[in-house]
Amino acid sequence: MTYRFFIKSLSWCCVMMMLSCSVTRPVSFMAGTALPSALDQHFADATAQYKFMMKNLPEGRFPKTFDPKTGKQETSNSAWWCSGFYPGTLLYLYEQTKDPVLYAETERILKLLEKEKNNKSTHDLGFMMYCSFGNANRIAPKPEYKDILITSAKSLATRFNPKTGVIRSWDSKDPSQFLVIIDNMMNLELLFWASKATGDLTYRNIAITHANNTLKNHFRPDYSSYHVLEYETETGKVNKKRTHQGYADESAWARGQAWGLYGFVVMYRETKDEKYLEQAKNIAGFILNHPNLPSDKVPYWDFNAPNIPNALRDASAGSIIASALLELCTYVKPEGGKELFSSAETMLASLASSNYKTAIGGNGGFILMHGVGNMPAKTEIDTPLTYGDYYYVEALVRYKSLIKK
Ligand code: GLY
């Protein structure tokens, strides 16, 4: 055994020992709404919608959105950042219903998605490959899924720059500019998985370094986050903090807050480092105590949107936040956990109501209405979104596992 290999194995053992010592006990909560008795119906409705959607999906395409005004379905190719959400949602629903049609459709679409494992032009590989192949491998592990996930993690890792200490989100025409968006926190889960699967800590170390620099640079004192940071490639200096999809550079774009929250919950799950738990709790505090959070707890598309209370809601932000809170509530002391669970339950019950959940056969087969994709670009405004559906179903699954029987 070489010295390097010995040190590597030793560090890996230490990580595994640390994590196994802090395995969390099973937690459950009393439901405060009628949601538990409706869960099976919500899974059945979502399944009916996705079976309707798959019938209208053109050959070789992935669902993107649906314009309720024109009745037009929009689709994408596999390189679109959302291509993993459709198979991911099918898999969560398959786990609940065991409907073989859902699994067969997943296998069909995964074949079309596989080539993205080599895509080094995007940071979105976590979304694309982990929500899809990650879930597929969790449900029915296969060596080929494992290989695809490892290759995807390798591709993602090529975007990490040790000088900036972060993973590049978007390529810039100016090579001195290194752009990172808060959304990138969502791609780290794939890297943690890759270290566990291969024993190579490089992926995990990249994720931790990225998260530490994001924690240091991306947040304001009130724990809201900027959307885009412009780092300097050679020095790692932050030259500008701004928005791309939010209302203003200094506003709190709702989905950005959701990505940050979810990302730091994952960081705590994977490392058990208390500083990530604190960060996640503080982000949750910003969201849940914000005076502009409506009483149904589904946020406006930006917490500082100019026309609140008439601003549009973003159901996708609500889904992501609900799902993240349903994990976070299991990590905090009983009283705090109950409050987080109860807020998530309110959000989820709102999303599952007819205010957001579509009637069967409508909405192009999507489950939720009222998402906002990119307001400044005037695209996907008040429409369904694949990620809104994915995190909504994930939140229902998490909720189901947490309620006291
Ligand atoms: N990752 C892009 C978005 O949240 O719209």
Side-chain angles (χ1 to χ4, degrees):
M1 185 189 285
T2 64
Y3 178 71
R4 231 176 122 212
F5 182 73
F6 173 73
I7 293 295
K8 224 169 151 182
S9 315
L10 194 68
S11 351
W12 185 242
C13 286
C14 290
V15 170
M16 293 316 284
M17 267 167 62
M18 209 176 76
L19 292 178
S20 60
C21 290
S22 55
V23 167
T24 42
R25 71 207 137 67
V27 184
S28 58
F29 296 92
M30 288 296 289
T33 66
L35 192 53
S37 58
L39 280 175
D40 286 344
Q41 192 58 52
H42 289 312
F43 288 123
D45 292 349
T47 299
Q49 280 297 87
Y50 268 53
K51 283 172 120 174
F52 167 62
M53 181 195 275
M54 70 181 71
K55 280 204 198 107
N56 298 318
L57 202 54
E59 186 70 31
R61 304 291 294 174
F62 291 71
K64 192 176 175 201
T65 187
F66 173 80
D67 185 342
K69 291 187 198 94
T70 61
K72 238 184 98 200
Q73 185 193 38
E74 259 188 62
T75 60
S76 76
N77 62 19
S78 60
W80 173 243
W81 75 275
C82 299
S83 52
F85 295 122
Y86 174 58
T89 305
L90 290 170
L91 285 164
Y92 274 136
L93 292 174
Y94 169 74
E95 271 186 301
Q96 296 301 319
T97 63
K98 297 288 177 282
D99 186 330
V101 174
L102 302 179
Y103 199 75
E105 174 65 355
T106 309
E107 286 187 309
R108 182 191 72 82
I109 206 91
L110 287 182
K111 285 198 189 87
L112 297 173
L113 183 58
E114 179 182 342
K115 63 175 179 296
E116 299 306 328
K117 67 186 177 191
N118 297 313
N119 186 345
K120 298 188 180 71
S121 70
T122 177
H123 73 139
D124 286 320
L125 284 179
F127 282 125
M128 294 157 70
M129 308 307 274
Y130 198 69
C131 297
S132 53
F133 287 97
N135 275 314
N137 193 52
R138 180 178 58 75
I139 294 171
K142 288 189 186 149
E144 60 264 36
Y145 291 160
K146 191 175 167 191
D147 288 349
I148 291 165
L149 286 162
I150 292 168
T151 307
S152 305
K154 277 192 184 132
S155 298
L156 176 58
T158 63
R159 298 183 68 80
F160 178 75
N161 180 332
K163 286 189 187 148
T164 52
V166 272
I167 299 166
R168 190 192 284 272
S169 293
W170 298 330
D171 294 341
S172 168
K173 281 192 195 108
D174 173 359
S176 71
Q177 195 181 57
F178 195 100
L179 301 174
V180 180
I181 62 174
I182 188 69
D183 323 27
N184 208 341
M185 285 298 301
M186 298 296 285
N187 295 304
L188 307 182
E189 205 172 352
L190 169 66
L191 299 177
F192 282 108
W193 178 90
S195 275
K196 284 182 273 190
T198 61
D200 180 352
L201 286 175
T202 312
Y203 306 104
R204 178 186 167 88
N205 291 338
I206 289 176
I208 290 173
T209 309
H210 180 93
N212 288 345
N213 283 312
T214 299
L215 197 156
K216 186 170 89 191
N217 297 324
H218 235 104
F219 287 85
R220 305 185 182 99
D222 64 1
Y223 300 100
S224 67
S225 53
Y226 289 90
H227 186 198
V228 187
L229 255 63
E230 293 181 9
Y231 285 88
E232 203 166 277
T233 311
E234 281 307 308
T235 63
K237 184 171 159 269
V238 178
N239 285 328
K240 197 165 179 191
K241 303 185 181 194
R242 62 174 171 88
T243 197
H244 178 70
Q245 277 159 265
Y247 165 62
D249 288 346
E250 287 301 327
S251 74
W253 173 49
R255 200 161 53 256
Q257 312 317 305
W259 294 142
L261 171 66
Y262 197 114
F264 280 98
V265 173
V266 170
M267 285 308 297
Y268 179 67
R269 181 210 305 153
E270 296 296 339
T271 64
K272 294 291 174 249
D273 183 333
E274 291 288 324
K275 74 169 178 280
Y276 300 133
L277 181 60
E278 274 312 296
Q279 186 71 7
K281 285 197 301 197
N282 285 326
I283 301 169
F286 172 85
I287 293 170
L288 298 175
N289 300 321
H290 200 289
N292 288 342
L293 184 70
S295 58
D296 72 356
K297 298 196 193 288
V298 177
Y300 296 103
W301 70 277
D302 191 302
F303 281 93
N304 307 102
N307 51 340
I308 289 172
N310 299 318
L312 289 173
R313 307 296 189 85
D314 178 16
S316 78
S319 301
I320 300 156
I321 294 166
S323 187
L325 291 177
L326 287 168
E327 180 170 355
L328 181 60
C329 70
T330 66
Y331 300 143
V332 302
K333 299 229 162 57
E335 280 315 306
K338 269 189 218 157
E339 266 177 47
L340 295 172
F341 174 83
S342 157
S343 293
E345 185 181 37
T346 305
M347 269 174 210
L348 200 49
S350 304
L351 293 169
S353 77
S354 58
N355 290 339
Y356 298 92
K357 193 183 120 176
T358 195
I360 306 285
N363 208 25
F366 286 89
I367 306 164
L368 296 184
M369 306 176 279
H370 307 311
V372 172
N374 190 337
M375 185 67 93
K378 299 191 174 59
T379 55
E380 298 173 336
I381 294 173
D382 203 17
T383 58
L385 297 162
T386 49
Y387 39 100
D389 284 4
Y390 175 85
Y391 291 101
Y392 164 74
V393 175
E394 183 182 81
L396 285 177
V397 172
R398 289 180 172 186
Y399 177 83
K400 186 178 165 184
S401 74
L402 287 178
I403 41 175
K404 261 201 180 94
K405 303 285 171 334

